[in-house]
Each structure stands twice: as structure tokens, then as C-alpha cells.
Amino acid sequence: MTIHMRAVSAAMLLALVASCGPGKFKQYSGPPVTQVVVNKSARQMLLFSGSSIIGAYNVSLGNEPQGHKQFSGDGKTPEGNYFIDRRNPDSRYHLSIGISYPDPQDVAFAASVGQDPGNDIFIHGQGPEGRALAPIRGDWTAGCIAVTDAEIEDIYAMVRDGTPIQINP
């Protein structure tokens, strides 16, 4: 067997073994998630399929959780109606799915007072930083919605881009 063939065989064997172990990318074949609802005051996120709750999670919020996010760096989690618009499989917080903040109204308000509305609001796991901060501070993100790493693996598999998210005070 040539060196090239051995290398190819070894790579294929390694890929096969790696695919058998647990990973952060799960499969989901249950009912579709049609809406995500976050109730900030209850620190709770609900996943709905139609009118049925198919998932419920405790969440951590921005480090200044009261009120609607208005500016970059204010530590607030947005409130209002948005949608899931992207995903990051290489997030420093394990996995993350993006929320469409800021919307045109958020941008217009911030501009009217000469501020930047901020961006990069996600539902994400904890990663090393969150595992260290969550027990100490509770609400530890810069404005995102955080769950455990195991929970974001499920949410990442269940929630599709385009899913509406309603974030309530």
C-alpha cells in the first residue's frame, strides 16, 4: 500500500471514529418551532410549536436586564418582536443563533440621539466565560440570552432561521 493510500485510509478511519462520538450538533425531528418567546422578568424562554410549548429554559440576560436595549454597551437585552437570522457554530459561547436586533426602529431611535444601537445579539450557550460568571452574577451577558451549553445544542437543532422571537419585559 502506498503512503498516499495509507494517509487516505487513516483520514477516513479518523473521520468515522469522530462521527461516532458525542458532538455539539444534534438532530431534531420533532414538531417545528414556530415561535420563541422570552419573558425577561421570569428569566424564561419558551419554544412553541403552534400553541403548544415544546421547550422551556431558564435564561441569563444582559448585565443590565431592566428595559429595552437602546445603545451599544448598555448591557440590556432587547425587547420586542424580532426573528432568528443567523447561526454561529464556532461561537465562543459554544453555539449561538442570532436575533435580528437592531430593527429599523432601533436604528432610527439610536441615530436620533447620536448613538450606535449595537448589534450581535444572540441566544447562546455559556462557554468557559459563562460557566465562570453565571454562578456569580446571574445575568452576565452583554445583552444576549444565555442558556447552558447542553441546552443550546438542543435549541440550535430545533430553531430554524426565520423563526419569530418575541422578547417581553
Side-chain angles (χ1 to χ4, degrees):
M1 190 182 277
T2 68
I3 292 175
H4 177 71
M5 289 300 290
R6 285 182 189 165
V8 169
S9 295
M12 290 175 58
L13 181 60
L14 183 60
L16 178 63
V17 169
S19 70
C20 295
K24 64 182 181 178
F25 299 106
K26 295 183 176 179
Q27 299 295 318
Y28 175 70
S29 59
V33 174
T34 57
Q35 183 178 27
V36 177
V37 175
V38 176
N39 296 308
K40 288 172 52 174
S41 61
R43 303 299 189 278
Q44 183 181 57
M45 180 171 62
L46 304 171
L47 305 183
F48 284 86
S49 183
S51 60
S52 298
I53 296 172
I54 60 171
Y57 305 89
N58 294 322
V59 299
S60 295
L61 302 171
N63 56 29
E64 294 292 332
Q66 298 286 322
H68 174 58
K69 181 166 196 63
Q70 297 178 321
F71 313 116
S72 178
D74 66 8
K76 297 182 182 299
T77 300
E79 297 172 357
N81 294 307
Y82 299 94
F83 60 92
I84 302 303
D85 66 351
R86 63 201 183 280
R87 47 195 63 238
N88 182 358
D90 299 316
S91 171
R92 72 189 245 199
Y93 302 106
H94 194 57
L95 292 170
S96 60
I97 56 176
I99 298 171
S100 63
Y101 177 89
D103 65 16
Q105 293 81 14
D106 297 319
V107 172
F109 175 77
S112 75
V113 293
Q115 295 283 328
D116 175 353
N119 58 14
D120 285 341
I121 301 298
F122 288 87
I123 300 169
H124 60 66
Q126 293 177 318
E129 181 181 350
R131 284 192 296 276
L133 291 175
I136 299 166
R137 294 199 347 218
D139 291 319
W140 59 272
T141 78
C144 296
I145 300 163
V147 295
T148 68
D149 289 349
E151 291 168 336
I152 194 60
E153 289 175 6
D154 292 336
I155 295 163
Y156 194 92
M158 295 171 74
V159 177
R160 298 279 142 240
D161 290 359
T163 302
I165 178 169
Q166 177 182 330
I167 306 172
N168 300 317

